[in-house]
Amino acid sequence: MANPDKIYQYGGDPTINLGNATLDPLRLPVFEESGLEASVLRLDKIHPEISGNKWFKLKYYLEAGRLQKKKRLISFGGPYSNHIIALACAAHAHGFSSTGFIRGETPAVLPASLFTAMKYGMDFQFLPRETYLQKEDSGFLSSLQSKYPEALIIPEGGCGEPGFRGAGEILSMAGLSAYSHICCAVGTGTTLTGLLRACKPQQKVVGISVLKGTHGIEPLRTSWINDPADTNKLQLFHDYHFGGYAKKTTALLDFMNGIYEQSGIPTDFVYTGKLFYAITDLTRKNYFPAGSRILIVHSGGLLGNLSLPEGQLQF
Ligand SMILES: *Cc1c(COP(=O)(O)O)cnc(C)c1O
């Protein structure tokens, strides 16, 4: 389904196979009862570690690093960050060294995610929470840049213009313009912003925040919305976080097992499980007009399930 000309703009990326992405129909009774059609864009299948939306968000940072002849990529994330794993793996594949600035104290045992990143040669600096909060301050960033002059510093989650641009290219994959609603899970909002900028005028973009306490268009910022008309295409939901970021309930895990049984599609408990849950719940509440064609962007993240105790998921 991929459109190779667009996809391999940046050299022939040896690590990513966008041709593995599929558009899978999601046939659930709830959609049939409401007269809707739903499909899942399986970005989880493009790479086991640079999963889902992450490569899209990193693509133009990798290109910038190459054009600026940088030797190292630096970024920020929590200890379970999928962005950090993806960055480590992509940096390695493209010949960069990498350093992850990780929120919190040095752990006694590296979590599986950081262990994977370390395998790709990433080194870590653990930042106490107060220091981590400065990750966007210009003073902090310029002193970091003088300490690592050979490095390209990438914001947490790839959140910035190159990230928005890369994420928008998700919609350049073939066959997506016929969907009326494009739905995604929202962390930093980088992916959502890219989709919003790249979608067709008649399409709506539905974001499900996985963070507790977001309101209005948060975590998006008004400065990210270039075209005021985009505001009308955007709808964010804030009530599907299941207690907060990376929190879970038995109901969520049961739901994820049910989706897997019915469709064979695995989801993760931090992002896509909540996304799928929200879309079925909104359908039940008649949010989507009859005849809607819903695209659910499976943004990957399945490695996150490794932190669950064995046996909670059937996949
Ligand atoms: C990182 C991640 C997201 C969040 O993407 P943002 O662009 O930060 O909003 C969504 N889903 C999965 C699976 C992720 O790993």
Side-chain angles (χ1 to χ4, degrees):
M1 65 163 296
N3 175 349
D5 293 346
K6 287 260 193 233
I7 285 146
Y8 293 110
Q9 271 167 356
Y10 171 42
D13 191 315
T15 54
I16 296 286
N17 189 351
L18 292 196
N20 284 345
T22 53
L23 197 51
D24 294 0
L26 184 61
R27 292 198 190 87
L28 301 179
V30 60
F31 296 127
E32 264 148 49
E33 283 155 19
S34 308
L36 308 182
E37 189 190 317
S39 305
V40 182
L41 178 61
R42 299 287 307 277
L43 299 182
D44 56 308
K45 291 160 75 176
I46 65 178
H47 189 280
E49 280 152 356
I50 314 180
S51 167
N53 56 352
K54 296 298 183 277
W55 180 76
F56 289 92
K57 296 201 288 177
L58 286 173
K59 178 178 171 185
Y60 288 105
Y61 289 106
L62 292 166
E63 187 180 68
R66 183 176 57 100
L67 293 174
Q68 295 171 29
K69 303 205 169 8
K70 299 291 191 184
K71 300 274 178 288
R72 177 180 300 275
L73 304 178
I74 288 180
S75 197
F76 302 87
Y80 300 99
S81 167
N82 294 329
H83 164 70
I84 287 292
I85 304 177
L87 179 76
C89 184
H92 177 80
H94 290 263
F96 298 102
S97 314
S98 63
T99 302
F101 281 74
I102 311 299
R103 187 186 61 233
E105 305 298 332
T106 311
V109 183
L110 277 189
S113 47
L114 294 188
F115 193 79
T116 307
M118 190 182 70
K119 224 175 54 188
Y120 289 110
M122 180 177 263
D123 53 57
F124 306 113
Q125 300 279 342
F126 291 90
L127 299 180
R129 280 170 185 269
E130 314 79 69
T131 319
Y132 190 82
L133 289 176
Q134 301 173 358
K135 66 189 184 320
E136 289 168 37
D137 296 355
S138 53
F140 175 81
L141 290 172
S142 59
S143 72
L144 189 62
Q145 189 72 78
S146 9
K147 203 169 152 210
Y148 294 91
E150 84 301 357
L152 180 77
I153 303 174
I154 301 173
E156 180 178 40
C159 190
E161 287 301 324
F164 301 148
R165 182 172 166 210
E169 289 187 8
I170 290 172
L171 293 181
S172 64
M173 301 180 85
L176 304 184
S177 58
Y179 288 91
S180 59
H181 295 78
I182 300 157
C183 310
C184 73
V186 178
T188 63
T190 310
T191 305
L192 180 66
T193 301
L195 295 174
L196 186 62
R197 290 185 184 185
C199 73
K200 302 268 179 266
Q202 72 280 7
Q203 292 180 311
K204 298 255 186 271
V205 184
V206 178
I208 305 302
S209 176
V210 300
L211 310 171
K212 190 167 155 179
T214 52
H215 301 280
I217 66 160
E218 284 172 3
L220 270 60
R221 300 185 189 163
T222 31
S223 62
W224 300 352
I225 298 179
N226 289 338
D227 181 352
D230 282 352
T231 322
N232 302 326
K233 297 194 269 178
L234 173 66
Q235 175 101 51
L236 266 148
F237 289 92
H238 302 284
D239 298 329
Y240 294 104
H241 55 68
F242 287 82
Y245 182 72
K247 297 274 193 286
K248 59 187 183 298
T249 63
T250 312
L252 177 66
L253 299 178
D254 289 348
F255 172 83
M256 290 163 59
N257 282 327
I259 290 289
Y260 184 73
E261 269 166 31
Q262 293 173 81
S263 67
I265 299 178
T267 51
D268 78 292
F269 74 95
V270 182
Y271 295 100
T272 54
K274 295 176 184 182
L275 168 67
F276 278 58
Y277 184 97
I279 300 310
T280 56
D281 190 57
L282 289 168
T283 301
R284 226 168 265 122
K285 293 176 173 160
N286 297 318
Y287 167 75
F288 297 102
S292 296
R293 296 191 66 200
I294 301 170
L295 180 69
I296 301 175
V297 177
H298 193 316
S299 42
L302 297 171
L303 285 178
N305 290 340
L306 291 176
S307 71
L308 292 173
E310 189 109 6
Q312 296 209 336
L313 292 175
Q314 292 161 20
F315 50 90

